[in-house]
Amino acid sequence: MEEKEKRALYAAIESFVRKGWNGSGLFPDPCGQTPIQGVSCDLFNGMWYPTVMSIGPVLDNSLQCAPDAKFSPQLFDLRRLKSLSFYACFPATNPTPKVNRGSNLFRTTRLIPTSSSTNGRTHRR
């Protein structure tokens, strides 16, 4: 995994779970020998990239959202991330997750065409 991608992964997770989360110490190889529960990776051109991130108490050792969880700008540096899901995050005390200043959410995300089926019809998004 590229070092920049690894730093972005740690920072993105830290912004959801808690400030001071020690990702690099706990998971020095997050797509290999020391995987992070809730993070899945795929191989692209000989390099590993995180493609799925799930945050929330699904399993005993799952990453859990902090009461002040935020979307960090580094989340949008995860170039191959296909899926981001949350479970039991953003409670009534923090119902609207905040995007940290400088993230340029709309400029840095890409729209990927998908198909879904509803009542036998296929819709393009």
Side-chain angles (χ1 to χ4, degrees), residues 1-116:
M1 177 183 279
E2 294 175 4
E3 194 59 36
K4 180 181 178 183
E5 193 85 4
K6 194 184 297 187
R7 284 192 311 271
L9 177 64
Y10 295 147
I13 292 173
E14 180 183 39
S15 72
F16 292 123
V17 299
R18 75 181 184 300
K19 185 102 172 119
W21 178 76
N22 184 13
S24 60
L26 296 169
F27 307 99
D29 187 12
C31 289
Q33 298 264 331
T34 56
I36 301 171
Q37 179 68 39
V39 175
S40 297
C41 300
D42 288 329
L43 192 61
F44 294 94
N45 298 323
M47 296 293 288
W48 289 101
Y49 292 90
T51 54
V52 175
M53 188 184 320
S54 298
I55 310 288
V58 177
L59 300 172
D60 287 342
N61 59 345
S62 295
L63 299 168
Q64 296 190 25
C65 275
D68 61 344
K70 297 175 188 66
F71 287 84
S72 74
Q74 292 85 357
L75 175 66
F76 306 104
D77 290 337
L78 298 173
R79 299 178 294 170
R80 305 281 184 165
L81 192 65
K82 297 176 190 176
S83 173
L84 175 63
S85 61
F86 300 95
Y87 178 75
C89 292
F90 309 111
T93 57
N94 185 20
T96 307
K98 293 178 175 54
V99 178
N100 292 346
R101 292 180 62 85
S103 68
N104 285 326
L105 172 65
F106 298 104
R107 190 172 64 163
T108 59
T109 57
R110 293 167 296 188
L111 295 176
I112 301 171
T114 60
S115 300
S116 64

